[in-house]
Amino acid sequence: MASEVTTRPLTEDDRELLRTATLANLNWTGEARFGPRDLDERPDLRHYTGFRPERGDLGLVAERDGQSVGVVWVLFLDAHDPGYGFVADGVPELSIWVAPGARGRGLGGELLRAALDEARRRGVERVSLSVEAGNPAVHLYRRSGFRPVLGAAEGTSAVDL
Ligand SMILES: CC(C)(COP(=O)(O)OP(=O)(O)OC[C@H]1O[C@@H](n2cnc3c(N)ncnc32)[C@H](O)[C@@H]1OP(=O)(O)O)[C@@H](O)C(=O)NCCC(=O)NCCS
């Protein structure tokens, strides 16, 4: 029988998981365009691996048999250290990753919905993200209400909560 997927809140101790997820997202085409050293050396990438609850950041980890199979995280990167999907201060940026063997079965959609529900519950009014042209993840984002933001960097979308 297939074992169940459970979720738990993301914590500051999950840096390794965020490194894995960020690298996989950056290399979503399958080509190794970025390596672990890029994550350490490039501030524009490294900040995606720093989860800071005291700033308002929120996130969820999906686990099966004690292994992480997905993560969604929402970071309040501001104008001094903007992410690729920066829209405005106070609009956090969402990232999501599901392990290859667990994709295409609704887990990403569930994690996304749970993260947006939690953000709404906390009074967040808008959430953004960045997705490269051609990434099929865009279908999931559109289905979840994200729309392109005019005037922001190409690939930036946001949803009003
Ligand atoms: C994008 C991602 C988080 C979606 O998680 P998931 O569990 O596969 O998502 P769901 O099963 O809930 O929904 C599937 C949707 O995601 C899209 N998708 C993106 N990559 C996919 C993949 N490798 N397999 C299946 N669906 C994928 C599909 O277009 C699908 O939308 P559709 O049903 O309208 O066609 C996951 O596929 C992933 O981690 N991909 C690789 C990294 C990546 O691109 N991350 C996003 C960077 S912006």
Side-chain angles (χ1 to χ4, degrees), residues 21 24-28 71 94-100 102-110 129-132 135-141 143:
N25 284 352
L26 289 166
N27 293 326
W28 66 270
V71 60
L94 179 144
S95 301
I96 185 167
W97 169 80
V98 168
R103 288 177 193 163
R105 278 181 266 153
L107 180 56
E110 280 176 38
L129 58 76
S130 172
V131 59
E132 264 184 83
N135 189 331
V138 78
H139 299 295
L140 175 62
Y141 301 147
R143 218 167 47 220

mmCIF file of all heavy atoms in Angstrom, residues 21 24-28 71 94-100 102-110 129-132 135-141 143, ligand 1:
data_model
loop_
_atom_site.group_PDB
_atom_site.id
_atom_site.type_symbol
_atom_site.label_atom_id
_atom_site.label_comp_id
_atom_site.label_asym_id
_atom_site.label_seq_id
_atom_site.Cartn_x
_atom_site.Cartn_y
_atom_site.Cartn_z
ATOM 1 N N ALA A 21 16.073 22.093 -3.264
ATOM 2 C CA ALA A 21 14.899 22.555 -4.010
ATOM 3 C C ALA A 21 15.255 23.748 -4.907
ATOM 4 O O ALA A 21 14.840 23.808 -6.074
ATOM 5 C CB ALA A 21 13.789 22.927 -3.040
ATOM 6 N N ALA A 24 17.270 22.568 -7.890
ATOM 7 C CA ALA A 24 16.409 21.843 -8.842
ATOM 8 C C ALA A 24 15.522 22.829 -9.604
ATOM 9 O O ALA A 24 15.301 22.667 -10.810
ATOM 10 C CB ALA A 24 15.548 20.825 -8.094
ATOM 11 N N ASN A 25 15.036 23.846 -8.930
ATOM 12 C CA ASN A 25 14.189 24.830 -9.616
ATOM 13 C C ASN A 25 15.000 25.633 -10.639
ATOM 14 O O ASN A 25 14.536 25.886 -11.749
ATOM 15 C CB ASN A 25 13.537 25.766 -8.611
ATOM 16 C CG ASN A 25 12.388 25.095 -7.876
ATOM 17 O OD1 ASN A 25 11.992 23.988 -8.221
ATOM 18 N ND2 ASN A 25 11.851 25.750 -6.867
ATOM 19 N N LEU A 26 16.235 26.010 -10.250
ATOM 20 C CA LEU A 26 17.078 26.763 -11.179
ATOM 21 C C LEU A 26 17.442 25.905 -12.397
ATOM 22 O O LEU A 26 17.602 26.423 -13.501
ATOM 23 C CB LEU A 26 18.363 27.213 -10.477
ATOM 24 C CG LEU A 26 18.201 28.307 -9.426
ATOM 25 C CD1 LEU A 26 19.466 28.424 -8.576
ATOM 26 C CD2 LEU A 26 17.885 29.645 -10.090
ATOM 27 N N ASN A 27 17.547 24.599 -12.173
ATOM 28 C CA ASN A 27 17.926 23.676 -13.252
ATOM 29 C C ASN A 27 16.722 22.912 -13.789
ATOM 30 O O ASN A 27 16.851 21.759 -14.216
ATOM 31 C CB ASN A 27 18.986 22.689 -12.731
ATOM 32 C CG ASN A 27 20.293 23.384 -12.422
ATOM 33 O OD1 ASN A 27 20.672 24.340 -13.093
ATOM 34 N ND2 ASN A 27 20.990 22.923 -11.397
ATOM 35 N N TRP A 28 15.571 23.548 -13.808
ATOM 36 C CA TRP A 28 14.327 22.841 -14.149
ATOM 37 C C TRP A 28 14.342 22.264 -15.568
ATOM 38 O O TRP A 28 13.610 21.322 -15.860
ATOM 39 C CB TRP A 28 13.115 23.766 -13.986
ATOM 40 C CG TRP A 28 13.105 24.919 -14.960
ATOM 41 C CD1 TRP A 28 13.662 26.147 -14.759
ATOM 42 C CD2 TRP A 28 12.536 24.937 -16.280
ATOM 43 N NE1 TRP A 28 13.489 26.929 -15.878
ATOM 44 C CE2 TRP A 28 12.793 26.214 -16.823
ATOM 45 C CE3 TRP A 28 11.848 24.009 -17.049
ATOM 46 C CZ2 TRP A 28 12.380 26.579 -18.110
ATOM 47 C CZ3 TRP A 28 11.425 24.374 -18.334
ATOM 48 C CH2 TRP A 28 11.697 25.655 -18.842
ATOM 49 N N VAL A 71 8.384 20.897 -1.089
ATOM 50 C CA VAL A 71 8.458 22.052 -0.183
ATOM 51 C C VAL A 71 7.927 23.288 -0.910
ATOM 52 O O VAL A 71 8.110 23.445 -2.119
ATOM 53 C CB VAL A 71 9.917 22.266 0.324
ATOM 54 C CG1 VAL A 71 10.885 22.515 -0.822
ATOM 55 C CG2 VAL A 71 9.992 23.424 1.324
ATOM 56 N N LEU A 94 6.969 33.419 -3.601
ATOM 57 C CA LEU A 94 6.767 31.974 -3.366
ATOM 58 C C LEU A 94 7.666 31.146 -4.282
ATOM 59 O O LEU A 94 7.835 31.474 -5.461
ATOM 60 C CB LEU A 94 5.294 31.643 -3.616
ATOM 61 C CG LEU A 94 4.832 30.186 -3.464
ATOM 62 C CD1 LEU A 94 3.416 30.141 -2.884
ATOM 63 C CD2 LEU A 94 4.887 29.419 -4.781
ATOM 64 N N SER A 95 8.212 30.063 -3.721
ATOM 65 C CA SER A 95 8.921 29.052 -4.505
ATOM 66 C C SER A 95 8.346 27.697 -4.138
ATOM 67 O O SER A 95 7.890 27.498 -3.002
ATOM 68 C CB SER A 95 10.416 29.039 -4.174
ATOM 69 O OG SER A 95 11.002 30.300 -4.420
ATOM 70 N N ILE A 96 8.381 26.778 -5.086
ATOM 71 C CA ILE A 96 7.837 25.439 -4.810
ATOM 72 C C ILE A 96 8.635 24.402 -5.571
ATOM 73 O O ILE A 96 9.093 24.643 -6.695
ATOM 74 C CB ILE A 96 6.331 25.381 -5.167
ATOM 75 C CG1 ILE A 96 5.724 24.026 -4.778
ATOM 76 C CG2 ILE A 96 6.081 25.705 -6.633
ATOM 77 C CD1 ILE A 96 4.203 24.009 -4.815
ATOM 78 N N TRP A 97 8.788 23.245 -4.931
ATOM 79 C CA TRP A 97 9.496 22.127 -5.566
ATOM 80 C C TRP A 97 8.862 20.833 -5.087
ATOM 81 O O TRP A 97 8.536 20.693 -3.898
ATOM 82 C CB TRP A 97 10.971 22.155 -5.182
ATOM 83 C CG TRP A 97 11.733 20.924 -5.567
ATOM 84 C CD1 TRP A 97 12.238 20.624 -6.807
ATOM 85 C CD2 TRP A 97 12.106 19.830 -4.715
ATOM 86 N NE1 TRP A 97 12.883 19.409 -6.773
ATOM 87 C CE2 TRP A 97 12.819 18.899 -5.494
ATOM 88 C CE3 TRP A 97 11.892 19.550 -3.362
ATOM 89 C CZ2 TRP A 97 13.329 17.707 -4.978
ATOM 90 C CZ3 TRP A 97 12.394 18.359 -2.853
ATOM 91 C CH2 TRP A 97 13.112 17.453 -3.649
ATOM 92 N N VAL A 98 8.696 19.894 -6.010
ATOM 93 C CA VAL A 98 8.239 18.547 -5.665
ATOM 94 C C VAL A 98 9.277 17.567 -6.210
ATOM 95 O O VAL A 98 9.772 17.747 -7.342
ATOM 96 C CB VAL A 98 6.828 18.281 -6.256
ATOM 97 C CG1 VAL A 98 6.460 16.803 -6.176
ATOM 98 C CG2 VAL A 98 5.781 19.125 -5.525
ATOM 99 N N ALA A 99 9.640 16.577 -5.431
ATOM 100 C CA ALA A 99 10.663 15.598 -5.849
ATOM 101 C C ALA A 99 10.216 14.894 -7.129
ATOM 102 O O ALA A 99 9.021 14.623 -7.300
ATOM 103 C CB ALA A 99 10.883 14.577 -4.734
ATOM 104 N N PRO A 100 11.163 14.605 -8.024
ATOM 105 C CA PRO A 100 10.816 14.044 -9.336
ATOM 106 C C PRO A 100 9.824 12.878 -9.283
ATOM 107 O O PRO A 100 8.856 12.843 -10.027
ATOM 108 C CB PRO A 100 12.172 13.613 -9.902
ATOM 109 C CG PRO A 100 13.150 14.537 -9.268
ATOM 110 C CD PRO A 100 12.619 14.833 -7.889
ATOM 111 N N ALA A 102 7.513 12.251 -7.319
ATOM 112 C CA ALA A 102 6.202 12.569 -6.722
ATOM 113 C C ALA A 102 5.414 13.581 -7.549
ATOM 114 O O ALA A 102 4.341 14.021 -7.142
ATOM 115 C CB ALA A 102 6.414 13.092 -5.293
ATOM 116 N N ARG A 103 5.941 13.930 -8.722
ATOM 117 C CA ARG A 103 5.302 14.995 -9.516
ATOM 118 C C ARG A 103 4.076 14.499 -10.288
ATOM 119 O O ARG A 103 3.934 13.309 -10.558
ATOM 120 C CB ARG A 103 6.311 15.581 -10.517
ATOM 121 C CG ARG A 103 7.353 16.406 -9.829
ATOM 122 C CD ARG A 103 8.409 16.929 -10.794
ATOM 123 N NE ARG A 103 9.533 17.436 -10.011
ATOM 124 C CZ ARG A 103 10.744 17.664 -10.476
ATOM 125 N NH1 ARG A 103 10.995 17.460 -11.745
ATOM 126 N NH2 ARG A 103 11.692 18.111 -9.676
ATOM 127 N N GLY A 104 3.249 15.463 -10.669
ATOM 128 C CA GLY A 104 2.140 15.162 -11.562
ATOM 129 C C GLY A 104 0.979 14.440 -10.910
ATOM 130 O O GLY A 104 0.111 13.918 -11.587
ATOM 131 N N ARG A 105 0.950 14.437 -9.557
ATOM 132 C CA ARG A 105 -0.143 13.746 -8.862
ATOM 133 C C ARG A 105 -0.879 14.667 -7.895
ATOM 134 O O ARG A 105 -1.522 14.217 -6.953
ATOM 135 C CB ARG A 105 0.409 12.539 -8.108
ATOM 136 C CG ARG A 105 0.588 11.345 -9.027
ATOM 137 C CD ARG A 105 1.113 10.153 -8.279
ATOM 138 N NE ARG A 105 2.563 10.084 -8.364
ATOM 139 C CZ ARG A 105 3.346 9.511 -7.459
ATOM 140 N NH1 ARG A 105 2.851 8.965 -6.397
ATOM 141 N NH2 ARG A 105 4.653 9.493 -7.642
ATOM 142 N N GLY A 106 -0.707 15.964 -8.097
ATOM 143 C CA GLY A 106 -1.493 16.906 -7.305
ATOM 144 C C GLY A 106 -0.802 17.456 -6.067
ATOM 145 O O GLY A 106 -1.328 18.353 -5.415
ATOM 146 N N LEU A 107 0.380 16.934 -5.736
ATOM 147 C CA LEU A 107 1.041 17.395 -4.510
ATOM 148 C C LEU A 107 1.427 18.870 -4.609
ATOM 149 O O LEU A 107 1.218 19.642 -3.669
ATOM 150 C CB LEU A 107 2.275 16.527 -4.218
ATOM 151 C CG LEU A 107 3.061 16.884 -2.968
ATOM 152 C CD1 LEU A 107 2.175 16.868 -1.729
ATOM 153 C CD2 LEU A 107 4.239 15.933 -2.780
ATOM 154 N N GLY A 108 1.981 19.271 -5.759
ATOM 155 C CA GLY A 108 2.365 20.673 -5.926
ATOM 156 C C GLY A 108 1.163 21.600 -5.739
ATOM 157 O O GLY A 108 1.247 22.611 -5.050
ATOM 158 N N GLY A 109 0.038 21.214 -6.337
ATOM 159 C CA GLY A 109 -1.174 22.015 -6.203
ATOM 160 C C GLY A 109 -1.632 22.119 -4.760
ATOM 161 O O GLY A 109 -2.033 23.194 -4.293
ATOM 162 N N GLU A 110 -1.536 21.008 -4.041
ATOM 163 C CA GLU A 110 -1.956 21.013 -2.632
ATOM 164 C C GLU A 110 -1.038 21.888 -1.787
ATOM 165 O O GLU A 110 -1.499 22.651 -0.926
ATOM 166 C CB GLU A 110 -1.936 19.595 -2.067
ATOM 167 C CG GLU A 110 -3.156 18.792 -2.439
ATOM 168 C CD GLU A 110 -3.039 17.356 -1.947
ATOM 169 O OE1 GLU A 110 -2.508 17.133 -0.845
ATOM 170 O OE2 GLU A 110 -3.451 16.459 -2.701
ATOM 171 N N LEU A 129 5.662 35.365 -7.638
ATOM 172 C CA LEU A 129 6.625 34.306 -7.967
ATOM 173 C C LEU A 129 7.270 34.634 -9.304
ATOM 174 O O LEU A 129 6.808 35.521 -10.038
ATOM 175 C CB LEU A 129 5.969 32.926 -7.986
ATOM 176 C CG LEU A 129 4.795 32.649 -8.911
ATOM 177 C CD1 LEU A 129 5.239 32.476 -10.369
ATOM 178 C CD2 LEU A 129 4.075 31.391 -8.474
ATOM 179 N N SER A 130 8.324 33.902 -9.608
ATOM 180 C CA SER A 130 9.018 34.075 -10.872
ATOM 181 C C SER A 130 9.103 32.722 -11.560
ATOM 182 O O SER A 130 9.476 31.737 -10.937
ATOM 183 C CB SER A 130 10.427 34.612 -10.596
ATOM 184 O OG SER A 130 11.173 34.623 -11.792
ATOM 185 N N VAL A 131 8.731 32.686 -12.827
ATOM 186 C CA VAL A 131 8.813 31.430 -13.566
ATOM 187 C C VAL A 131 9.346 31.722 -14.964
ATOM 188 O O VAL A 131 8.904 32.681 -15.609
ATOM 189 C CB VAL A 131 7.444 30.695 -13.593
ATOM 190 C CG1 VAL A 131 6.352 31.519 -14.233
ATOM 191 C CG2 VAL A 131 7.545 29.336 -14.263
ATOM 192 N N GLU A 132 10.293 30.912 -15.390
ATOM 193 C CA GLU A 132 10.897 31.133 -16.703
ATOM 194 C C GLU A 132 9.959 30.700 -17.824
ATOM 195 O O GLU A 132 9.208 29.720 -17.662
ATOM 196 C CB GLU A 132 12.186 30.317 -16.819
ATOM 197 C CG GLU A 132 13.429 31.101 -16.496
ATOM 198 C CD GLU A 132 14.676 30.267 -16.732
ATOM 199 O OE1 GLU A 132 15.151 30.183 -17.874
ATOM 200 O OE2 GLU A 132 15.180 29.691 -15.754
ATOM 201 N N ASN A 135 8.510 26.906 -18.777
ATOM 202 C CA ASN A 135 8.370 25.972 -17.659
ATOM 203 C C ASN A 135 6.892 25.581 -17.518
ATOM 204 O O ASN A 135 6.040 26.442 -17.336
ATOM 205 C CB ASN A 135 8.869 26.635 -16.365
ATOM 206 C CG ASN A 135 8.944 25.641 -15.210
ATOM 207 O OD1 ASN A 135 8.197 24.675 -15.154
ATOM 208 N ND2 ASN A 135 9.851 25.901 -14.291
ATOM 209 N N PRO A 136 6.587 24.269 -17.585
ATOM 210 C CA PRO A 136 5.181 23.849 -17.490
ATOM 211 C C PRO A 136 4.532 24.190 -16.156
ATOM 212 O O PRO A 136 3.303 24.146 -16.043
ATOM 213 C CB PRO A 136 5.240 22.326 -17.705
ATOM 214 C CG PRO A 136 6.642 21.933 -17.471
ATOM 215 C CD PRO A 136 7.490 23.122 -17.793
ATOM 216 N N ALA A 137 5.345 24.540 -15.165
ATOM 217 C CA ALA A 137 4.787 24.930 -13.864
ATOM 218 C C ALA A 137 3.837 26.118 -14.010
ATOM 219 O O ALA A 137 2.973 26.339 -13.153
ATOM 220 C CB ALA A 137 5.912 25.278 -12.894
ATOM 221 N N VAL A 138 3.980 26.875 -15.105
ATOM 222 C CA VAL A 138 3.137 28.042 -15.301
ATOM 223 C C VAL A 138 1.651 27.662 -15.321
ATOM 224 O O VAL A 138 0.796 28.423 -14.869
ATOM 225 C CB VAL A 138 3.570 28.811 -16.577
ATOM 226 C CG1 VAL A 138 3.079 28.142 -17.842
ATOM 227 C CG2 VAL A 138 3.139 30.253 -16.528
ATOM 228 N N HIS A 139 1.326 26.449 -15.788
ATOM 229 C CA HIS A 139 -0.075 25.997 -15.821
ATOM 230 C C HIS A 139 -0.636 25.911 -14.403
ATOM 231 O O HIS A 139 -1.763 26.322 -14.130
ATOM 232 C CB HIS A 139 -0.196 24.625 -16.489
ATOM 233 C CG HIS A 139 0.271 24.619 -17.900
ATOM 234 N ND1 HIS A 139 -0.356 25.340 -18.885
ATOM 235 C CD2 HIS A 139 1.313 23.990 -18.498
ATOM 236 C CE1 HIS A 139 0.282 25.156 -20.023
ATOM 237 N NE2 HIS A 139 1.302 24.356 -19.815
ATOM 238 N N LEU A 140 0.192 25.354 -13.529
ATOM 239 C CA LEU A 140 -0.211 25.212 -12.126
ATOM 240 C C LEU A 140 -0.432 26.591 -11.503
ATOM 241 O O LEU A 140 -1.417 26.818 -10.792
ATOM 242 C CB LEU A 140 0.890 24.446 -11.377
ATOM 243 C CG LEU A 140 0.748 24.282 -9.878
ATOM 244 C CD1 LEU A 140 -0.507 23.495 -9.548
ATOM 245 C CD2 LEU A 140 1.977 23.563 -9.319
ATOM 246 N N TYR A 141 0.454 27.518 -11.797
ATOM 247 C CA TYR A 141 0.351 28.855 -11.213
ATOM 248 C C TYR A 141 -0.895 29.585 -11.730
ATOM 249 O O TYR A 141 -1.593 30.248 -10.963
ATOM 250 C CB TYR A 141 1.615 29.673 -11.518
ATOM 251 C CG TYR A 141 2.889 29.044 -11.001
ATOM 252 C CD1 TYR A 141 4.087 29.182 -11.682
ATOM 253 C CD2 TYR A 141 2.893 28.308 -9.828
ATOM 254 C CE1 TYR A 141 5.259 28.605 -11.211
ATOM 255 C CE2 TYR A 141 4.049 27.715 -9.351
ATOM 256 C CZ TYR A 141 5.230 27.866 -10.050
ATOM 257 O OH TYR A 141 6.368 27.292 -9.570
ATOM 258 N N ARG A 143 -3.618 28.226 -12.820
ATOM 259 C CA ARG A 143 -4.775 27.557 -12.215
ATOM 260 C C ARG A 143 -4.998 28.025 -10.781
ATOM 261 O O ARG A 143 -6.110 28.030 -10.274
ATOM 262 C CB ARG A 143 -4.512 26.050 -12.223
ATOM 263 C CG ARG A 143 -5.718 25.229 -12.516
ATOM 264 C CD ARG A 143 -5.400 23.792 -12.823
ATOM 265 N NE ARG A 143 -4.478 23.133 -11.926
ATOM 266 C CZ ARG A 143 -3.539 22.291 -12.322
ATOM 267 N NH1 ARG A 143 -3.387 22.052 -13.598
ATOM 268 N NH2 ARG A 143 -2.748 21.709 -11.466
HETATM 269 C C1 LIG B 1 6.230 22.551 -10.646
HETATM 270 C C2 LIG B 1 6.028 21.476 -9.568
HETATM 271 C C3 LIG B 1 6.304 22.064 -8.199
HETATM 272 C C4 LIG B 1 4.581 21.015 -9.632
HETATM 273 O O1 LIG B 1 4.390 19.984 -8.666
HETATM 274 P P1 LIG B 1 3.446 18.730 -9.035
HETATM 275 O O2 LIG B 1 3.235 17.920 -7.802
HETATM 276 O O3 LIG B 1 4.032 18.059 -10.211
HETATM 277 O O4 LIG B 1 2.124 19.531 -9.428
HETATM 278 P P2 LIG B 1 0.639 18.985 -9.600
HETATM 279 O O5 LIG B 1 0.647 17.511 -9.824
HETATM 280 O O6 LIG B 1 -0.188 19.536 -8.496
HETATM 281 O O7 LIG B 1 0.201 19.778 -10.894
HETATM 282 C C5 LIG B 1 0.812 19.449 -12.094
HETATM 283 C C6 LIG B 1 0.983 20.691 -12.878
HETATM 284 O O8 LIG B 1 2.335 21.161 -12.779
HETATM 285 C C7 LIG B 1 2.923 21.245 -14.076
HETATM 286 N N1 LIG B 1 4.196 20.540 -14.065
HETATM 287 C C8 LIG B 1 5.376 21.158 -14.106
HETATM 288 N N2 LIG B 1 6.367 20.274 -14.113
HETATM 289 C C9 LIG B 1 5.792 19.042 -14.069
HETATM 290 C C10 LIG B 1 6.310 17.719 -14.044
HETATM 291 N N3 LIG B 1 7.611 17.481 -14.111
HETATM 292 N N4 LIG B 1 5.433 16.704 -13.961
HETATM 293 C C11 LIG B 1 4.119 16.945 -13.935
HETATM 294 N N5 LIG B 1 3.574 18.187 -13.935
HETATM 295 C C12 LIG B 1 4.416 19.216 -14.012
HETATM 296 C C13 LIG B 1 2.001 20.594 -15.070
HETATM 297 O O9 LIG B 1 1.873 21.496 -16.152
HETATM 298 C C14 LIG B 1 0.728 20.403 -14.330
HETATM 299 O O10 LIG B 1 -0.217 21.323 -14.770
HETATM 300 P P3 LIG B 1 -1.426 20.803 -15.675
HETATM 301 O O11 LIG B 1 -2.043 19.668 -14.921
HETATM 302 O O12 LIG B 1 -2.311 21.989 -15.814
HETATM 303 O O13 LIG B 1 -0.758 20.396 -16.948
HETATM 304 C C15 LIG B 1 6.963 20.260 -9.812
HETATM 305 O O14 LIG B 1 6.605 19.654 -11.028
HETATM 306 C C16 LIG B 1 8.432 20.598 -9.829
HETATM 307 O O15 LIG B 1 9.047 20.663 -8.774
HETATM 308 N N6 LIG B 1 9.004 20.790 -11.033
HETATM 309 C C17 LIG B 1 10.428 20.997 -11.234
HETATM 310 C C18 LIG B 1 10.954 22.284 -10.662
HETATM 311 C C19 LIG B 1 10.181 23.502 -11.109
HETATM 312 O O16 LIG B 1 10.017 23.752 -12.284
HETATM 313 N N7 LIG B 1 9.749 24.278 -10.115
HETATM 314 C C20 LIG B 1 9.073 25.545 -10.356
HETATM 315 C C21 LIG B 1 10.036 26.644 -10.602
HETATM 316 S S1 LIG B 1 9.196 28.173 -10.916
#
